[in-house]
Amino acid sequence: MSSEGTSTAPHGRGVPGGRRLWLFRGAALLAPLVLLASLEAGLRLAGRHWPTSFWLEAGDGMLRANPAFGAAHVGEVQARMPRPLKVREAKEPGTFRVLVIGESAALGDPEPAFGMPRFLQAQLEARLPGRKVEVLNAAITALNSHALRRIAADSVCLGADAWVVYPGNNEVHGPFGPASNPLGKAPSLAVVRAGLALRGTAIGQWIFRAREGGGDGLSLAPRWAGLETFSRNHIAADDPRLGAVREAYRRNLADLVGLGAGSGARVLLGTMAVNLPDCPPFGSVPLEGPPAALAEWKALAERARGQDAAGDWSGAVEGWSRAVALAPRHAESRFQLGLARLNAGDRSRGTADLEAARDLDTLRFRADSHLVAITREVAAAAGSPRVVLVDAAKALQGEDPLRPPGADLFLEHVHLRPEGNHRLARLFADALLSGLPDVPAAPGPAAATEAACRTRLGWTPHAEVRLWTQIRALCQKPPFSSQSHQEARNRFLDDRLAEAGGAARKAGLPGSLQRVESALARHPDDWQLAEQSARLLRQARQWTNAVAAWKRVVAGAPDHVVAWHFLGEALAQVGDRPGAIDAQSRALALRPDFVEAALALGLLQGESGRFAEAIAVFDRSLARDPSNLEALINKAVTLEAMGRRDESVPLLARAMTEHPRSTMPCIRLGELHSSRKEYPAAVAAFEEAVRRDPADVVVLQRLAGELGRADRPAQAEAVLRRAVQADPSNASLRVDLGVSLARQSRFADASVEFEAALRIQPGNVPARTYLERARAMLSTGPRASEPRRR
């Protein structure tokens, strides 16, 4: 027997000793960490990780803006791309470098080439002659202070002389705001920052990618998925969640300002200016109360609207004041009271009412007075001479000294017209240069005027048409389409479009192009000017020159996804199909969900006989958006080329049904039937296109051609006369009408049309050839009719 205290267990067996026990426990604790590390490494090796920093290494000491930066904040599908910046990290000696940080209002939406940063560039160049100026536009649409803080942290290395910070509109409806959170919560700042840190890992990106699902992707079409997405997410002014939003904004902004000042830059912190008088609230709290009180409010509102319409401003003020007393939280009532007071000449109280209406707006797409106050407080609390407040909310002035700025400076709720961007840039430029030695307190008489800046930036009437066209389309969609002044705004936008269109016709594409080329000759390294030239060449269909221009753009901005797409389009037009495929592939490498680039690539693959690849591209687009018009049409065209004719016609018919206002599926169906020599069916398709757009002379001309092929010359003549009446200076229409008349042996009448075409376009070879033939027929045979002179 063993003595007491002596172990009877065999040596080396039984319960582990203390050290081994701790080893087992350590291994148990480490195992999950090892597993996570292995998963992280595996995902990165598989290419399932994207960098989340704003600046990426570009080689040779250069940095480029990360095209996928926004994905960590709003997901890959919804993320908007920053401007395609490329900059040398070490600032060149003598360079004055300015970094702009903000959201879409700072970016210059919808035309960043004419946004505040570009006007600031032009003004600083004029006021700092002989010195190189770099204004880096690091603003991004749809992001907010959570993202701007990261941009600031990543930009310290740039050694900028100044930071221009212009934030505040996206705090509630932007990333992590209560209106964009599926749970409707405003997470704490600690939770937000932990989530962003997780999204910087491959595992986190894998999780969030799986949760994100699909979406429309990037598109050139006028889709507004931003504000429209949140149009049902109303947040009242007294919602307790706004407290967390404001505290997060304060802390993010303070961090951002500290980073800028710590980098040695002057930090110009701007309060957000918004459209008060010409932007009614997007939403109001529902009217509540006893039926008698609601009936009284309705009667007061109706009477006040009538007084507004009659110009009885004092009566309108009284009526709306009583309505506001009955419903003090109703944003629309307060807005109408503010307008009435402005119209009555009371700017002070009217402006106060409009500011209150903005604060009561339940769709909080404009920085409210609380966020503006926080911006001022952060600037004051910085306690540094490097931090300067630019109080744009107060200082930005419009054309009428008795009203706050509205449609005279703003396009809609917060985005500025070129006039507004110039004035905002002037505020920042004055503050920026006020502390520099040897800089005049004010610019010279012609150095930095608005007209001179527009010329420097390549502004043309055609750019103005493009701008107003985008805004007109945007304002037809929620939340803009539900605003109380929708009809009046549509008339205003139609007037602006008509004015811009008239100016564009007067200048002509050659005139606009010459203006841009002159500016580009003075600033040959400005890729944004080159882009203006490329857009005009594209519009003029001068494809060879457009190829050279778009190549110039992508050379200066290699991450410009839209430029690669348009370069591919131009290359396809000049017959360089391999180059076009490469360019569209480059666009998709930067943005895999770029709708138009994917469709163009599919079409090019189909034309190259790579039908299976083309169909796969179109099917992916249709999986994302089953009613995508371009995908439906291009798939049908490819199926027809493959000989699968029983599938192509039904697909085009589906496109016609799902897009009842578009002429494009009708035209493509007509072309398909015409290629099969099914002329009656082709005529029917083009007749439907004309029914959908009776004023489109190109469609009328195409219909007349199919009528001619269907041996219906009299009807073709009638259609062409209708087209000529709509566009009498169109030489091509005159030639086609002459041919239609000649086919009816009416050579005298045909000669009149050929002569008219030659008066319009003396070098028109077909017109001259046909005229000689018609005259020959007249000299050898009886006249079918006497000419009707026009």
Side-chain angles (χ1 to χ4, degrees):
M1 284 182 67
S2 61
S3 61
E4 186 177 354
T6 304
S7 174
T8 60
H11 180 70
R13 301 180 65 84
V15 179
R19 188 175 69 175
R20 297 181 66 196
L21 178 61
W22 282 108
L23 287 173
F24 278 119
R25 288 175 176 172
L29 290 172
L30 288 173
L33 297 178
V34 172
L35 179 62
L36 288 173
S38 300
L39 179 58
E40 177 75 14
L43 288 170
R44 288 178 181 250
L45 287 172
R48 306 299 292 171
H49 175 265
W50 73 84
T52 55
S53 60
F54 184 78
W55 297 104
L56 303 178
E57 297 284 345
D60 194 28
M62 304 294 290
L63 298 175
R64 63 186 184 96
N66 181 1
F69 173 78
H73 301 268
V74 295
E76 292 179 82
V77 172
Q78 295 298 329
R80 293 298 175 256
M81 302 174 73
R83 294 293 280 167
L85 300 173
K86 187 176 181 181
V87 62
R88 188 166 297 282
E89 181 175 1
K91 186 179 62 174
E92 296 178 5
T95 297
F96 191 74
R97 177 176 286 178
V98 180
L99 178 73
V100 177
I101 298 176
E103 306 146 358
S104 59
L107 177 72
D109 262 1
E111 287 288 335
F114 306 104
M116 179 272 288
R118 289 288 284 166
F119 275 97
L120 182 60
Q121 172 92 32
Q123 292 185 28
L124 292 177
E125 287 175 350
R127 296 173 68 173
L128 296 173
R131 193 167 181 183
K132 181 179 179 181
V133 174
E134 288 180 346
V135 177
L136 308 178
N137 187 352
I140 308 184
T141 299
L143 299 187
N144 58 19
S145 64
H146 297 296
L148 304 188
R149 176 179 175 272
R150 176 61 189 271
I151 294 173
D154 292 345
S155 299
V156 169
C157 64
L158 294 176
D161 297 281
W163 288 13
V164 170
V165 184
Y166 191 55
N169 289 321
N170 297 338
E171 298 303 307
V172 178
H173 290 271
F176 309 105
S180 61
N181 189 322
L183 301 178
K185 297 180 179 179
S188 70
L189 191 58
V191 170
V192 170
R193 292 182 179 178
L196 288 172
L198 178 59
R199 295 186 191 202
T201 67
I203 295 173
Q205 292 170 9
W206 176 49
I207 293 170
F208 287 108
R209 188 183 292 115
R211 289 178 55 191
E212 183 182 7
D216 288 341
L218 179 69
S219 174
L220 298 174
R223 306 171 184 166
W224 184 253
L227 301 189
E228 186 175 352
T229 301
F230 306 116
S231 294
R232 293 183 296 274
N233 300 350
H234 293 259
I235 306 287
D238 56 358
D239 193 302
R241 293 172 293 178
L242 293 176
V245 171
R246 291 161 184 159
E247 180 58 25
Y249 178 70
R250 181 188 302 277
R251 292 176 59 184
N252 284 333
L253 200 58
D255 289 350
L256 188 159
V257 168
L259 288 163
S263 74
R266 295 189 75 198
V267 179
L268 277 60
L269 184 56
T271 56
M272 182 58 62
V274 302
N275 185 348
L276 293 173
D278 295 315
C279 182
F282 292 107
S284 297
V285 295
L287 291 167
E288 298 176 346
L294 295 178
E296 182 182 0
W297 179 92
K298 183 177 180 181
L300 287 168
E302 288 180 356
R303 188 181 309 120
R305 289 191 181 96
Q307 291 165 324
D308 278 330
D312 179 6
W313 310 127
S314 60
V317 167
E318 180 184 356
W320 284 116
S321 295
R322 293 174 63 188
V324 166
L326 287 172
R329 297 171 62 243
H330 192 253
E332 185 66 30
S333 299
R334 197 64 178 271
F335 173 79
Q336 295 297 341
L337 174 58
L339 278 189
R341 280 182 166 150
L342 284 184
N343 291 330
D346 188 349
R347 169 167 179 158
S348 177
R349 296 176 70 189
T351 300
D353 284 323
L354 294 176
E355 289 174 341
R358 176 220 30 213
D359 293 350
L360 291 168
D361 195 340
T362 57
L363 290 175
R364 315 186 74 79
F365 300 132
R366 296 176 288 177
D368 64 19
S369 59
H370 294 279
L371 294 174
V372 170
I374 289 171
T375 305
R376 293 175 180 137
E377 291 163 8
V378 168
S384 169
R386 291 187 178 278
V387 180
V388 179
L389 177 69
V390 178
D391 204 346
K394 280 186 176 180
L396 190 67
Q397 296 296 317
E399 296 294 332
D400 188 344
L402 299 179
R403 301 171 72 88
D408 51 343
L409 296 190
F410 289 92
L411 293 165
E412 12 73 355
H413 62 310
V414 296
H415 302 115
L416 290 160
R417 297 169 60 165
E419 298 92 328
N421 281 314
H422 171 76
R423 295 185 187 196
L424 180 62
R426 174 65 62 84
L427 294 177
F428 282 116
D430 288 347
L432 182 58
L433 299 180
S434 61
L436 295 182
D438 303 323
V439 175
T449 63
E450 183 183 336
C453 289
R454 286 178 185 247
T455 299
R456 159 66 181 91
L457 302 179
W459 178 260
T460 66
H462 291 85
E464 187 163 9
V465 170
R466 188 168 67 242
L467 175 68
W468 288 118
T469 300
Q470 293 179 80
I471 295 301
R472 182 67 168 81
L474 170 69
C475 289
Q476 306 316 301
K477 300 189 176 188
F480 302 100
S481 57
S482 62
Q483 288 182 289
S484 60
H485 73 329
Q486 172 73 348
E487 291 185 9
R489 179 174 55 200
N490 282 345
R491 290 193 297 271
F492 174 82
L493 293 175
D494 288 341
D495 288 345
R496 301 292 77 71
L497 259 176
E499 289 174 2
R505 287 189 293 273
K506 182 177 179 180
L509 276 169
S512 288
L513 188 58
Q514 183 179 11
R515 186 180 304 181
V516 174
E517 291 294 336
S518 296
L520 191 55
R522 293 189 293 272
H523 302 276
D525 296 329
D526 189 339
W527 64 262
Q528 297 188 72
L529 267 178
E531 183 178 7
Q532 297 307 308
S533 173
R535 288 181 178 274
L536 290 169
L537 290 166
R538 176 177 183 263
Q539 189 173 346
R541 304 184 69 81
Q542 296 181 24
W543 297 114
T544 301
N545 292 337
V547 167
W550 286 117
K551 285 183 175 179
R552 191 171 182 176
V553 175
V554 297
D559 291 333
H560 198 321
V561 61
V562 175
W564 281 111
H565 167 60
F566 284 148
L567 173 59
E569 174 193 58
L571 287 166
Q573 291 290 337
V574 299
D576 185 357
R577 192 174 294 158
I581 289 175
D582 178 68
Q584 300 294 1
S585 298
R586 292 284 294 270
L588 288 169
L590 289 166
R591 186 74 191 225
D593 62 344
F594 188 0
V595 175
E596 283 84 358
L599 295 174
L601 179 60
L603 197 59
L604 288 163
Q605 289 169 333
E607 292 170 352
S608 302
R610 296 156 59 178
F611 298 127
E613 295 174 68
I615 294 296
V617 168
F618 301 140
D619 284 342
R620 283 195 296 271
S621 296
L622 290 170
R624 178 177 285 114
D625 179 7
S627 62
N628 185 291
L629 177 61
E630 293 85 357
L632 289 169
I633 289 173
N634 290 342
K635 183 178 179 181
V637 171
T638 304
L639 289 169
E640 180 74 9
M642 296 171 71
R644 293 161 62 176
R645 297 185 171 186
D646 57 332
E647 299 176 64
S648 56
V649 171
L651 202 58
L652 287 171
R654 170 185 159 190
M656 290 174 64
T657 301
E658 294 182 0
H659 298 272
R661 295 183 179 181
S662 175
T663 61
M664 190 54 65
C666 311
I667 292 170
R668 292 291 176 261
L669 182 61
E671 290 172 343
L672 187 151
H673 283 304
S674 184
S675 68
R676 299 179 183 181
K677 299 185 178 180
E678 297 168 354
Y679 300 125
V683 167
F686 278 103
E687 285 177 336
E688 174 61 19
V690 169
R691 187 191 67 77
R692 295 183 179 194
D693 190 356
D696 190 330
V697 296
V698 174
V699 176
L700 287 168
Q701 190 173 17
R702 300 287 298 277
L703 170 60
E706 296 305 324
L707 286 166
R709 280 183 276 275
D711 198 23
R712 294 159 64 179
Q715 289 173 277
E717 177 195 348
V719 170
L720 286 167
R721 289 196 183 282
R722 175 178 163 187
V724 167
Q725 186 176 10
D727 188 4
S729 62
N730 189 318
S732 175
L733 288 174
R734 296 281 192 175
V735 171
D736 283 2
L737 177 55
V739 170
S740 177
L741 293 165
R743 286 176 176 168
Q744 300 175 67
S745 299
R746 294 163 56 186
F747 301 114
D749 287 340
S751 296
V752 171
E753 299 303 329
F754 298 139
E755 289 168 355
L758 287 169
R759 284 194 298 271
I760 297 166
Q761 192 177 21
N764 192 308
V765 176
R768 188 164 301 281
T769 301
Y770 289 139
L771 178 60
E772 291 172 357
R773 293 179 184 175
R775 286 173 174 172
M777 295 300 296
L778 285 172
S779 65
T780 57
R783 298 186 179 188
S785 67
E786 289 299 319
R788 295 189 294 272
R789 297 286 175 186
R790 282 174 292 280

